[in-house]
Amino acid sequence: MNAPNPRTIRVAAAQLGPIQRSEPRQNALTRMCALLDKAASDSVRLVVFPELAFTTFFPRHYIPDNKELHGYFELETPALPINESPNVKPFFAHAESLGLDVYVGYAEAWKHDDGSQAETTYYNSAAYFSGRLGKVLQKYRKVHLPGVVEPFPEPGATQQLEKRYFKNGDLGFPAFRVPDAVEGSLKLSEVNNNTPATEARGKGDPIVGMLICNDRRWPEGWRSYGLQGVELVLCGYNTTAYAPQLLGSDLHQQQPLTREEAEKEILYHNRLCVTSNSYMNSCFSVNVGKAGNEDGHDLISGTCIVDPKGYVIAEAKTKEDELVVVELDLAACQAGKAKTFDFGRHRRLESYGLLLERAGVIEPELLAE
Ligand code: CDV
């Protein structure tokens, strides 16, 4: 196999330090715009921010007051895309002024039409905004919502109320191509009906997929993107560093895990998920956390960029606002896609029926004795 032509793109993981519950949106916006400035001065093309980036990670709180709860959401309608939504418009305008693409997580209050009677649906979402085109190229709504509907009764417990506050994402896992990001990308006008699909593979504009936080623990999403030839998966997160009620990681231990042990294990699982799934789908991934002590609760850092062989090639060193920059050559995805993970040649659909028939576990029948 000849080495494919390089297809380089300079990307940044924009880790955020904590954003306290008392902090106005404007503070977060100012910090995020400062990271955009830094990225632009380092010739970055794409900047990836965390999940629910504009506010504190509010699902850790039981919030009975609907006015307060809804204050964390950004209003969106078909006529009012997120980049025009009043609270956050200056952030997108700044990215556009710098010609930067961004992935950013936000709480979406979706009204399917502009009539005042329209029902609102709440999602945990991410947008891919093209700074060159000044518009959202793709929206993603978190599919795998973690946590519980009713709050944990233990005083001081870190809550995880995403199942209470959000609906599960209904957009699936749509991969998409990003224009103007990789020089010399093959265009439709340059191929004809006789060009075999395999000849164009890995030569077009970059193929991107989005996940949000807990989604990274589920291979189903990664593989859905893998089957669309994904080259770059973007995933923002807010991952608690200590939540025994939620994670149950103490259940079979003689001694409860210390905070340090719990955080170490959670960081290990974060890395395990993003490295293994990047390898098994032969893609890069940019994985970006909100980190540090937020509202008295610790979040892990673990922000990292992973290559298609599953190696971490760059990572954050702090629990603060930090930009991790690296140049990726997307051509490196092709070896895995053509060999070990050439899905068309190696996947066996006739053996996978259970995957779509069953969500939960049904164990084989008990033995007679
Ligand atoms: N925000 C998240 O989705 N958090 C989940 C867990 C810790 C509840 C995560 O997978 O990190």
Side-chain angles (χ1 to χ4, degrees), residues 51 57 142 146 160 162 213-214 216-217 238-240 246:
E51 172 190 38
F57 182 70
K142 186 174 183 175
Q160 226 300 349
E162 289 193 55
C213 196
N214 185 48
R216 72 197 187 288
R217 304 187 195 276
N238 283 270
T239 295
T240 172
L246 174 72

Side-chain angles (χ1 to χ4, degrees), residues 271 274-275 278-279 284-285 305-314:
R271 191 174 276 228
V274 300
T275 54
S278 298
Y279 166 64
F284 288 93
S285 64
I305 301 176
V306 182
D307 79 7
K309 291 185 177 178
Y311 291 107
V312 171
I313 51 174

Side-chain angles (χ1 to χ4, degrees), residues 120-133:
T120 307
T121 317
Y122 300 92
Y123 298 101
N124 185 341
S125 300
Y128 187 104
F129 175 77
S130 161
R132 299 264 170 103
L133 301 179

